[in-house]
């Protein structure tokens, strides 16, 4: 993909022209970004009492992974763990073209935060994140995970 940037100090209104041969996820992502429709999430720190909590707005780029435990959804970031009121399925649907992929029944991970993929016994693979945490990529999700990685590599080249 070719990107041309032009700075014009005399411009009254900024605009973006986008030429594409077919609508791919990266094109949708660019459109969403320009239209400021990038999804955000609101949550509360997981360790705070439910009655008096302060809402935090999370950008998907800050999130390492989502974890669904005891019918509750948590988002893990570099600064902490946040309880969200979304469902894991809705997060997966909103974030599929932002680098998030389902790797188990209860985990959705951000591929851009992965430092290393490490194989283990029984054909398991672990995603090691740049913050030191790791998530197991379930065997039944492994094929879809690998296809997603291939697709995202083609998009970002």
């Amino acid at each position: 993909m070719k990107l041309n940037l032009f700075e014009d100090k005399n411009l009254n209104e900024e605009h973006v022209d986008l030429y594409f041969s077919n609508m791919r996820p990266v094109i949708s992502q660019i459109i969403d970004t320009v239209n400021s429709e990038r999804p955000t999430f609101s949550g509360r720190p997981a360790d705070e009492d439910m009655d008096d909590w302060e809402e935090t707005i999370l950008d998907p780029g800050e999130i390492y992974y989502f974890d669904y435990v005891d019918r509750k959804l948590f988002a893990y970031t570099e600064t902490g763990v946040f309880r969200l009121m979304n469902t894991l399925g809705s997060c997966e649907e909103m974030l599929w073209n932002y680098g998030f992929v389902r790797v188990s029944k209860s985990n959705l991970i951000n591929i851009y935060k992965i430092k290393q993929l490490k194989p283990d016994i029984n054909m398991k693979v672990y995603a090691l994140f740049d913050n030191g945490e790791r998530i197991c990529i379930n065997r039944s999700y492994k094929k879809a995970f690998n296809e997603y990685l291939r697709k995202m590599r083609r998009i970002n080249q």
Side-chain angles (χ1 to χ4, degrees), residues 25-113:
V26 70
I27 303 299
S28 296
Q29 186 176 0
I30 291 167
I31 293 168
D32 289 348
T33 301
V34 170
N35 290 331
S36 300
E37 293 178 8
R38 184 174 179 161
T40 57
F41 299 92
S42 61
R44 65 172 176 83
D47 56 358
E48 288 192 19
D49 189 17
M50 190 68 160
D51 295 331
D52 54 301
W53 59 277
E54 194 171 303
E55 186 174 296
T56 302
I57 304 299
L58 302 172
D59 182 89
E62 301 171 339
I63 299 171
Y64 284 82
Y65 62 92
F66 293 93
D67 192 18
Y68 187 72
V69 180
D70 295 332
R71 304 181 94 163
K72 297 174 189 163
L73 183 64
F74 299 94
Y76 288 73
T77 69
E78 188 173 346
T79 59
V81 180
F82 298 88
R83 166 85 192 281
L84 306 179
M85 300 314 281
N86 305 67
T87 65
L88 189 61
S90 69
C91 292
E92 180 179 18
E93 188 176 306
M94 284 188 282
L95 298 172
W96 72 270
N97 63 339
Y98 292 97
F100 284 82
V101 62
R102 179 82 70 113
V103 294
S104 71
K105 186 177 173 183
S106 60
N107 293 119
L108 184 66
I109 66 172
N110 183 348
I111 64 168
Y112 298 118
K113 297 288 189 181

Side-chain angles (χ1 to χ4, degrees), residues 115-129:
K115 178 181 172 182
Q116 180 182 20
L117 293 173
K118 186 172 182 162
D120 200 25
I121 58 173
N122 296 331
M123 294 183 57
K124 287 185 181 180
V125 174
Y126 285 92
L128 304 174
F129 296 98

